[in-house]
Amino acid sequence: MSNPTKPQVAFYWCASCGGCEEAVVDLADGVLAVVDAVDIIFWPVALDFKRSDVEARPDGSIAVAFVNGAVRTSEQEEMAHLLRRKAQFLIAFGACSHLGGIPGLANLWDRESVLRGSYGEAPSVVNPEGTRPQEAWQENGRLTTLPAFRDTVRTLDQVVEVDYYLPGCPPTPKLLMDAVQAILSGALPPRGSVLAPDVALCDQCRLKATKPDRLLLTSFKRPHQVLIDPETCLLSQGLLCLGPATRAGCEALCPSGNMPCTGCFGPTSRVHDVGAKLVSAVGSAFDANSPEAVEAVLSSIPDPVGTFYRYSLPASRLRRKVSQVSPAEAAQ
Amino acid sequence: MEEQRIGTANGQEPTIVAFFCTWCTYTAADLAGTSRMKYPPNVRIIRVMCSGRVDPQFVVEAFAQGADGVLIGGCHPGDCHYVEGNYKTLRRIALLKRVLREMGVEDERLRLEWISASEGDKVARVINEMVGAVRRLGRLDLPAKRRGWDAEVLPHHGPTEAPAAAAASTGR
């Protein structure tokens, strides 16, 4: 089964959409080189190995474990601890395990409101008895269990120590290939590094030359509201492109396709709170000098948290909604 | 028991971090002091060159480290030593307020005031009002909240206080 001469590699997913697993498959021909160089010993989405197979291995015997997805359930947490123990390198793979990702936006609610929404209030749900999944259920003398659903979504490094981060939603095949090669050759940067360039996305954007020194925007627009000029900096067109405060590495894929950057690569090393930094950047980019004018411009940003912390709410300094404010107050 | 009592009393008293621009509001705070005006001792003043130097990250960090309110003082519009630093502050703080509101941080916990060098009395009044408002809201105390959120997970070995530090580590 496993070849002891090749480094052993494990993949696992937690709270994520599956796109990161897809990114591995997207290596295309490259995946053959990877499979040739390493021995995949655990990959639930593609190969039939069990948790007990991993448990049976000696500690530290897996060379690298790639874990994608945020940590929401007790099972994901246990798997993170298990893979941490068994692997020499634990890699947070993709925006969700790196910063919390899209699932991390659930930190704007708590466990009860999520369950109430999913098993009660969603328009497509018919559940008059209010049945909800139970963590343990006994029937005919047999006990069945489900993982516990936590109140808070966490990044991987809030649960276990992480050696390296591969950013992106998902990481590009090139970054993954570079990372695999760096690990196999032992040419690794200091522990804790994000395996992507430490400059802003604008640096890789083909529209960079058209970005004016001074932006004086009077309103922000969403992509469906304007005809986008494909040859001009998107931010200068009033589109909320997050390139100025997002790490490079994707080679500006989204702006190249006329879509403003949404920030999936997270911050560069100088930023401690992505959303707050973006608030700073956006505040400098528009032109309004009275409270009324400021409010008028800001009303064109309908969802500030969902915009500025789209991939990073659990990694933010506040981490989650800190107290309940009524929806009416929040909408003001 | 004695310790418990003191701890509780301290726990009720809010802390407010104030960023004052050196040209106007800090000078006004100086004036308030030399004029022997009284205001509550809950405020920790940090002197910055301009209110425009207050990165919204500073505000979020203050809350994350346990501040219950953040006060920012700058020059009146048109009076900024750096011409338009305070206009940037105005925009940034308005936007930050929207973000914080959605995160459950009440508006009264973040206040922006224009206070000129001669308005020592305004420093005292604003601090009085803000301490009162934050006292009514109660403490935010994020470090304690964070311990509460973490109580639901297995003891972990990762960074607790500074998840951002990992994200912020150097790349190549």
Side-chain angles (χ1 to χ4, degrees), chain A residues 77 154 159 192 277 284 286 323, chain B residues 55 91-92 104 149 156 169:
Chain A
E77 204 181 302
R154 292 180 167 76
V159 177
K277 194 72 223 177
S284 321
F286 70 90
S323 56
Chain B
D55 190 318
R91 295 177 223 144
R92 286 178 182 145
W149 302 333
H156 61 81
S169 54

Side-chain angles (χ1 to χ4, degrees), chain A residues 77 150-152 154 157 159 165 192-193 197 269 272-273 277 280 283-284 286 288 304 317 319 322-323 332, chain B residues 55 57 61 91-92 98 101-104 145-146 149-150 152 154 156 159 161 164 166 168-172:
Chain A
E77 204 181 302
R150 303 297 193 205
D151 201 48
T152 299
R154 292 180 167 76
D157 68 6
V159 177
Y165 302 83
S193 296
S269 64
H272 289 268
D273 188 285
K277 194 72 223 177
S280 180
S284 321
F286 70 90
R317 294 301 283 128
R319 280 178 60 184
V322 297
S323 56
Q332 269 174 18
Chain B
D55 190 318
Q57 289 185 108
E61 187 64 33
R91 295 177 223 144
R92 286 178 182 145
R98 296 170 81 96
R101 200 180 294 150
E102 274 190 77
M103 294 293 289
K145 285 200 167 73
R146 201 175 297 121
W149 302 333
D150 280 342
E152 65 176 355
L154 299 167
H156 61 81
E161 276 311 294
S169 54
T170 51
R172 280 183 301 171

Side-chain angles (χ1 to χ4, degrees), chain B residues 9-169:
Chain B
N10 287 345
Q12 298 308 317
E13 210 42 57
T15 301
I16 291 169
V17 172
F19 296 99
F20 285 169
C21 101
T22 193
W23 303 104
C24 287
T25 316
Y26 191 86
T27 311
D30 239 5
L31 178 64
T34 49
S35 314
R36 310 220 165 206
M37 291 171 186
K38 282 195 176 146
Y39 56 81
N42 304 52
V43 179
R44 311 287 181 272
I45 297 173
I46 297 172
R47 182 185 191 175
V48 288
M49 289 308 284
C50 177
S51 62
R53 176 67 184 91
V54 182
D55 190 318
Q57 289 185 108
F58 297 178
V59 177
V60 174
E61 187 64 33
F63 284 127
Q65 292 202 20
D68 304 295
V70 175
L71 171 64
I72 298 163
C75 306
H76 284 271
D79 287 352
C80 178
H81 189 82
Y82 306 100
V83 186
E84 55 176 42
N86 53 0
Y87 290 121
K88 286 191 175 169
T89 313
L90 173 70
R91 295 177 223 144
R92 286 178 182 145
I93 299 308
L95 182 51
L96 183 61
K97 257 183 196 286
R98 296 170 81 96
V99 170
L100 289 175
R101 200 180 294 150
E102 274 190 77
M103 294 293 289
V105 178
E106 299 87 346
D107 277 6
E108 295 91 328
R109 295 193 191 275
L110 176 57
R111 184 164 173 168
L112 172 62
E113 284 290 341
W114 310 132
I115 304 174
S116 79
S118 61
E119 293 177 311
D121 54 332
K122 190 170 179 185
V123 170
R125 175 172 65 77
V126 164
I127 290 175
N128 268 310
E129 285 173 7
M130 189 160 178
V131 170
V134 174
R135 269 201 193 118
R136 279 191 293 282
L137 287 173
R139 294 207 54 201
L140 183 64
D141 202 0
L142 273 175
K145 285 200 167 73
R146 201 175 297 121
R147 284 192 294 278
W149 302 333
D150 280 342
E152 65 176 355
V153 291
L154 299 167
H156 61 81
H157 314 288
T160 43
E161 276 311 294
S169 54

